Amino acid sequence: SSFSATPQASSAYGRMKHTLEQSFRGPGALVVRPGLVLGPGGLFARMVDTVRRLPVVPLPDGGRRPVPVIGVDDLSTCLERLLSAANPPAVSNLCYR
């Protein structure tokens, strides 16, 4: 899912993620909300490319709050542990503190 998954999210993306979470919740369900995944591809790689090309870096929410992040290797480790746990939490926010 996503950290933005709330019914009051400012984006349609966050509201839809919340709706999907609700429809998938139930016995044995596991909702995972990773932060921005740091690694060699995906959204993070596109962001790095943009930052390298622009003289100004736009900050999410105007820089008023930190962006939750997690490395791709650590995300993989966390997912493996959650999937093999006897009683994993129903919802897991995965990011560095």
Side-chain angles (χ1 to χ4, degrees), residues 27-30 79-90:
L30 174 64
L79 290 173
E80 181 181 6
R81 288 180 182 169
L82 284 168
L83 291 171
S84 62
N87 293 308

Side-chain angles (χ1 to χ4, degrees), residues 37-62:
V37 180
L38 308 179
L43 176 62
F44 178 72
R46 291 193 305 270
M47 289 173 66
V48 168
D49 183 54
T50 299
V51 168
R52 286 182 175 150
R53 289 185 286 115
L54 297 177
V56 177
V57 177
L59 298 174
D61 195 29

Side-chain angles (χ1 to χ4, degrees), residues 23-38:
S23 64
F24 284 108
R25 283 201 178 170
L30 174 64
V31 172
V32 176
R33 297 179 186 140
L36 174 63
V37 180
L38 308 179

